Amino acid sequence: MTPALGFSRSGLLNRRINQPANQVLRLHLAFSSASPSPSEPSAAAGGGPRPPSGKGKRRSFWTSRTRSSTTRPRDISIAVLRSFILKRHEEYATRSRKAGTEDTTLSEQAKYKEPKVLEALAASGLRAIRYAVEVDGIGEVTAVDNNEAAVEACKKNIQHNGSLASSKVVPHHADARVYMLMHPKEFDVVDLDPYGSPAAFLDSAVQCVADGGTLMCSATDMAVLAGGNAEVCFSKYGSYPLRGKHCHEMALRILLACIESHAIRHKRYIVPIISVHMDFYIRVFVRIFTSASTVKSSPLKLAHVYQCTGCNSFHLQNIGRINSKDERNIAVPNFCPTVPEVCSECGHKFVMGGPIWSDPIHDKKWATSILSDIHAMREAYPAYPKISAILTSVSEELLEAPLFVSLHNLCAILKCTNPTMVMLQSAIRNAGYQVSGSHVDPLALKTNAPMSVIWDIMRCWVKLHPVKHRPGNHPGNVILSQEPKLQAKFSKVPQASVTRKSPRFMPNPEKYWGPGTKAGRHPKTFQMNNNRN
């Protein structure tokens, strides 16, 4: 018999829709050891007032006027958190049905408890207060920061935002790493949004999340993760990034691989919910479970990337493989690389990157569910257009295709005119393969077709649209010197055209949009002398 929970998806949506939109949070000036994050409004151009420059700790000004229509990690975090609470209720109801018991007869430990949330780097408590005020069915929200001034500001902000915030948000002055280690498996949701890399917090965070709980993690050090400082990325995340159009998706997969590497040390593993690149940072949402046997399959989810230095063709090889002769299906080390010493397309050498997460980075059913929920509650999300566009793209991505190729990059190498996205997608589908776009890049092609098929399609395109011959051993010349083994068909396939009922990508909110200058740094200014002798 299903226990009476007094909770349903439709009931939650109705309560949220009937509440007034754009609730104003009155926030106090704060100092924080962890803020301001570039994903917060105070550190991004166009996201509200910039932090004042000066020496010492960074300041963050968070006021009710900073909530504009630009991207906020808080909005998508709230959407995921609401969905997670519904998921926990459904899982609890399923367990209760299997046990054949009712809610009234369950033991105290087996009864459903509202999820506890930890904001490990709380600063002035903006996100913790929003969680408490806007998310129904949430339990205690703990806001931790290592700066006394930030904790005092957080307390004032809690008082300013009424009895609901005061009853749920609990501020603590502590080092987030130590606090999480002292509370193992205590919090159902842990939120990490540091300024820069979250690497220093991951080991304690994966131990702090309850079994089946969710870890929300941001990384803003994109210069490191996207290949600008490969040696720094390896020292922080244990992986080498590769430069290319797919660098931001690779950054997501590096972060997921890093979280997984910390989790398996404690007999735990991750299951990604949603992984997104937004504006100038990345954010992943993963569930964490405990299973000593499942951890042994972790090498099957990680792969090295071999990328050609000439034509940017890439190939993935998993770290582990399943021994077909062993009935236990235990992962064993994989064989030597499947790529030759030089690229078969252009003759250049390969460079190796990774390891990265090679399994799906999204749960498509969960993404679709979140998308339908935010459509029903659009007035509750100040950044609805942005997160709706991102989740729409996420829900359409091909999950079995790590990384992607770029239409413009393919044509730039061959120096040819561009086919339309519909034409190229149709050619891939006519060849018997799957293809989709990506939320990372509007010109991305995620496909399970091998690179040899992609280049054969481009060779056929160049035959229809010839290019001028160029002397030299350029990668494009070598590629076009080979005859295609596949005869591409560019006839339009219905699945290749996307119905534009909702946008997939939003324009930047203003000119020169991007991460602002770090507080404490004074940009150089030059005065122009207009007086001419």
Side-chain angles (χ1 to χ4, degrees), residues 510-529:
E510 64 178 27
K511 195 175 182 181
Y512 307 121
W513 172 256
T517 305
K518 183 187 295 186
R521 292 184 179 179
H522 300 276
K524 295 181 180 180
T525 58
F526 299 92
Q527 295 182 356
M528 300 297 295
N529 187 5

Side-chain angles (χ1 to χ4, degrees), residues 186-264:
E186 182 173 326
F187 293 93
D188 300 284
V189 179
V190 173
D191 193 335
L192 287 178
D193 186 19
Y195 190 97
S197 172
F201 305 94
L202 292 179
D203 196 72
S204 52
V206 297
Q207 300 180 64
C208 183
V209 180
D211 201 37
T214 297
L215 173 63
M216 306 176 178
C217 181
S218 299
T220 61
D221 53 336
M222 295 307 297
V224 172
L225 284 165
N229 297 284
E231 69 285 355
V232 178
C233 184
F234 186 82
S235 66
K236 290 184 176 181
Y237 298 95
S239 179
Y240 270 113
L242 296 175
R243 292 189 176 186
K245 296 296 184 180
H246 53 61
C247 63
H248 292 133
E249 182 180 331
M250 191 170 187
L252 286 168
R253 295 183 179 275
I254 288 175
L255 179 57
L256 289 172
C258 185
I259 298 174
E260 171 80 355
S261 69
H262 285 283
I264 61 178

Side-chain angles (χ1 to χ4, degrees), residues 420-436:
T420 64
M421 288 291 289
V422 173
M423 294 177 67
L424 194 53
Q425 288 190 10
S426 296
I428 294 173
R429 292 183 185 276
N430 287 328
Y433 299 96
Q434 295 177 301
V435 64
S436 75

Side-chain angles (χ1 to χ4, degrees), residues 61 142 161 189 193 229 234 262 266 275 290 307 327 349 390 426 455 516 519 521:
F61 285 85
T142 303
N161 284 277
V189 179
D193 186 19
N229 297 284
F234 186 82
H262 285 283
H266 308 284
S275 308
T290 304
Q307 182 171 301
E327 296 180 354
K349 291 187 176 182
I390 291 173
S426 296
W455 286 120
R521 292 184 179 179

Side-chain angles (χ1 to χ4, degrees), residues 7 9 12 80-95 112 212 214 273 287 289 363 365-366 369 373:
F7 191 96
R9 179 180 292 270
L12 173 64
V80 174
L81 183 54
R82 285 172 176 155
S83 179
F84 171 73
I85 292 174
L86 290 171
K87 187 75 171 179
R88 291 300 289 264
H89 274 275
E90 293 170 0
E91 293 172 347
Y92 172 74
T94 302
R95 288 196 304 268
Y112 179 83
T214 297
I273 301 173
R287 297 190 73 180
F289 298 91
D363 186 319
K365 291 183 178 179
W366 206 326
S369 175
D373 287 348

Side-chain angles (χ1 to χ4, degrees), residues 125-352:
L126 169 62
R127 194 174 307 182
I129 295 172
R130 280 199 66 185
Y131 287 162
V133 172
E134 299 185 26
V135 180
D136 289 327
I138 198 172
E140 182 180 278
V141 182
T142 303
V144 174
D145 200 277
N146 198 28
N147 186 279
E148 294 183 6
V151 176
E152 290 301 318
C154 183
K155 292 178 180 178
K156 293 180 181 179
N157 292 331
I158 294 171
Q159 295 174 359
H160 291 168
N161 284 277
S163 59
L164 183 58
S166 300
S167 63
K168 289 193 174 184
V169 182
V170 180
H172 279 283
H173 177 222
D175 187 309
R177 293 167 294 184
V178 177
Y179 188 88
M180 288 187 287
L181 287 173
M182 294 177 64
H183 297 79
K185 297 184 179 180
E186 182 173 326
F187 293 93
D188 300 284
V189 179
V190 173
D191 193 335
L192 287 178
D193 186 19
Y195 190 97
S197 172
F201 305 94
L202 292 179
D203 196 72
S204 52
V206 297
Q207 300 180 64
C208 183
V209 180
D211 201 37
T214 297
L215 173 63
M216 306 176 178
C217 181
S218 299
T220 61
D221 53 336
M222 295 307 297
V224 172
L225 284 165
N229 297 284
E231 69 285 355
V232 178
C233 184
F234 186 82
S235 66
K236 290 184 176 181
Y237 298 95
S239 179
Y240 270 113
L242 296 175
R243 292 189 176 186
K245 296 296 184 180
H246 53 61
C247 63
H248 292 133
E249 182 180 331
M250 191 170 187
L252 286 168
R253 295 183 179 275
I254 288 175
L255 179 57
L256 289 172
C258 185
I259 298 174
E260 171 80 355
S261 69
H262 285 283
I264 61 178
R265 300 168 193 172
H266 308 284
K267 299 181 180 180
R268 315 194 81 184
Y269 65 97
I270 68 170
V271 177
I273 301 173
I274 291 177
S275 308
V276 294
H277 167 257
M278 299 188 294
D279 295 331
F280 42 86
Y281 62 95
I282 58 175
R283 188 157 173 84
V284 299
F285 303 84
V286 300
R287 297 190 73 180
I288 296 182
F289 298 91
T290 304
S291 174
S293 58
T294 306
V295 163
K296 297 177 182 178
S297 301
S298 181
L300 304 176
K301 308 172 189 176
L302 304 174
H304 287 290
V305 184
Y306 297 89
Q307 182 171 301
C308 176
T309 57
C311 64
N312 292 332
S313 298
F314 62 86
H315 307 270
L316 273 73
Q317 183 175 32
N318 286 91
I319 294 178
R321 62 179 176 88
I322 293 294
N323 187 358
S324 58
K325 299 180 180 179
D326 192 340
E327 296 180 354
R328 297 175 298 172
N329 291 329
I330 296 178
V332 296
N334 210 342
F335 295 115
C336 60
T338 56
V339 296
E341 185 176 352
V342 295
C343 177
S344 58
E345 304 295 336
C346 70
H348 284 67
K349 291 187 176 182
F350 287 97
V351 61
M352 185 175 70

